[in-house]
Amino acid sequence: MSEKWVKYDRNAPCWCGSGKKYKHCHEQFDEKIREFEIKGAEVPDRSLIKTEKDVEGIRNSAKINIAVLDEIAEKIHAGMSTQEIDDIVYNTTVKMGGIPADLHYEGFPKSVCTSINDEVCHGIPSKDVILKDGDIVNVDCSTILNGYFSDSSRMFMIGDVSPEKKKLVQVTKECVEIGIKHVIPWTFLGDMGNAVHQHALDNDYTVVRQIGGHGCGLEFHEDPYVSYVSKPGTEMLMVPGMCFTIEPMVNMGTDEIYQDEENGWTIYTEDHKPSAQWEVQVLVTETGCEVLTY
Ligand code: MF3
Ligand code: CO
């Protein structure tokens, strides 16, 4: 058994900060995790289980995150530059007391990612990139409030979008909805990832393999890594209190991707066919999950 779920004094206050005695709080929960661990399952470290205080902090961060994307939804239009989207994200976030998590993250130069058509993710906003009729664009927004992180992205369709692209956007949204339904405590991330993958495959799409979701809350990117090409019964056990993103990147053509050599960020599909992505952040609960961002 690993160090992470060592036994705890039954009469001591619970590690979760509830103030209750351990034996009246997380003792049974810990026991259940140990049973899975003994059977060889990958289980989360205790540090990945959010306390009530953490959850409150993440929920408040998420309120800004959602408000920012709502603001983009109202203002986005053909003829607008992606820099204008960046300005809205920065100004709205700061006005509400938050910080855009993307800004200066590992050297990223802007406050949000804007990825158009064959751009899979990590597109850099620019005054020279103008949204045009027929584009599909992902706006991926991440927020810090009082040290708590939230993360979500939506697709926007600009003007008259082709039926093929519309379907890609719709099916990708369905993939996330299916993922949400498969966040069931005491099952595996691989069960969820496989369900997401299957829906994309059923529609003759592919899912990007090299980039996935992540734990999120106390840090921008925490454990676990969340794949959407995973197999049932594999990957980390989902337990109440874990917080992570569901953010599959679904491609119309090949799942192969490459990175822009010049800017070191933007990811494109190898065949330049369109790619779509939606992202939500969820908290695993006793019965399923709470969707924190959308
Ligand atoms: N928001 C992205 C995610 O979903 C991460 C963007 S990192 C950046 O994980 F540096 F490109 F902004
Ligand atoms: Co994310």
Side-chain angles (χ1 to χ4, degrees):
M1 193 185 304
S2 78
E3 284 296 306
K4 45 195 180 187
W5 294 101
V6 288
K7 302 262 181 182
Y8 211 76
D9 177 354
R10 299 190 66 226
N11 288 306
C14 188
W15 55 261
C16 78
S18 65
K20 287 190 237 170
K21 284 188 180 177
Y22 178 59
K23 65 184 178 192
H24 296 136
C25 195
H26 273 86
E27 187 184 38
Q28 283 180 332
F29 173 93
D30 287 12
E31 202 47 56
K32 198 162 176 179
I33 291 185
R34 269 190 217 100
E35 279 167 26
F36 275 96
E37 196 178 27
I38 288 163
K39 283 187 277 177
E42 187 187 338
V43 301
D45 196 275
R46 192 173 275 160
S47 67
L48 299 183
I49 312 301
K50 270 54 182 173
T51 65
E52 250 326 295
K53 179 168 166 273
D54 295 336
V55 171
E56 263 320 293
I58 299 165
R59 280 198 195 105
N60 287 330
S61 176
K63 277 182 201 152
I64 300 180
N65 188 270
I66 293 165
V68 171
L69 282 174
D70 285 348
E71 189 73 14
I72 298 297
E74 255 179 51
K75 304 230 166 107
I76 199 164
H77 62 271
M80 175 189 220
S81 75
T82 50
Q83 180 59 50
E84 288 172 71
I85 295 176
D86 194 75
D87 292 341
I88 295 170
V89 170
Y90 182 84
N91 291 329
T92 310
T93 305
V94 169
K95 208 188 301 168
M96 292 182 75
I99 303 165
D102 286 359
L103 191 57
H104 308 316
Y105 173 77
E106 292 187 2
F108 191 77
K110 298 286 174 174
S111 296
V112 67
C113 297
T114 50
S115 308
I116 304 170
N117 300 328
D118 63 338
E119 295 174 350
V120 174
C121 63
H122 302 166
I124 304 175
S126 161
K127 63 178 178 21
D128 300 326
V129 176
I130 309 294
L131 297 180
K132 53 182 199 312
D133 193 64
D135 282 345
I136 56 171
V137 53
N138 174 272
V139 178
D140 189 340
C141 177
S142 311
T143 310
I144 316 172
L145 178 70
N146 302 326
Y148 293 103
F149 289 81
S150 53
D151 193 4
S152 69
S153 82
R154 299 183 198 168
M155 292 299 295
F156 296 100
M157 295 191 269
I158 307 301
D160 205 8
V161 169
S162 72
E164 292 79 14
K165 280 174 161 179
K166 265 188 195 156
K167 185 181 166 206
L168 176 70
V169 170
Q170 176 58 30
V171 168
T172 307
K173 192 172 192 187
E174 290 164 9
C175 283
V176 171
E177 285 158 2
I178 288 167
I180 290 169
K181 285 206 185 85
H182 283 81
V183 178
I184 301 166
W186 315 108
T187 69
F188 292 89
L189 276 174
D191 302 325
M192 185 277 286
N194 180 253
V196 169
H197 195 191
Q198 200 52 53
H199 188 60
L201 293 176
D202 288 347
N203 286 278
D204 294 322
Y205 298 143
T206 63
V207 176
V208 170
R209 296 176 170 272
Q210 296 101 314
I211 314 173
H214 51 94
C216 185
L218 305 189
E219 289 173 56
F220 192 174
H221 296 111
E222 319 172 334
D223 277 346
Y225 173 73
V226 184
S227 167
Y228 311 100
V229 291
S230 42
K231 296 277 169 278
T234 69
E235 309 288 331
M236 194 179 279
L237 182 72
M238 293 185 274
V239 313
M242 280 170 71
C243 193
F244 56 84
T245 66
I246 303 177
E247 51 174 318
M249 297 163 196
V250 179
N251 294 353
M252 204 182 275
T254 178
D255 56 9
E256 294 294 324
I257 55 174
Y258 73 94
Q259 187 174 49
D260 189 307
E261 276 179 23
E262 260 160 53
N263 71 26
W265 280 103
T266 312
I267 306 290
Y268 296 89
T269 56
E270 188 75 50
D271 59 7
H272 294 288
K273 288 191 180 164
S275 179
Q277 179 184 29
W278 293 80
E279 172 177 19
V280 300
Q281 182 177 353
V282 299
L283 170 74
V284 184
T285 64
E286 300 292 334
T287 51
C289 72
E290 176 182 334
V291 179
L292 300 170
T293 64
Y294 51 85

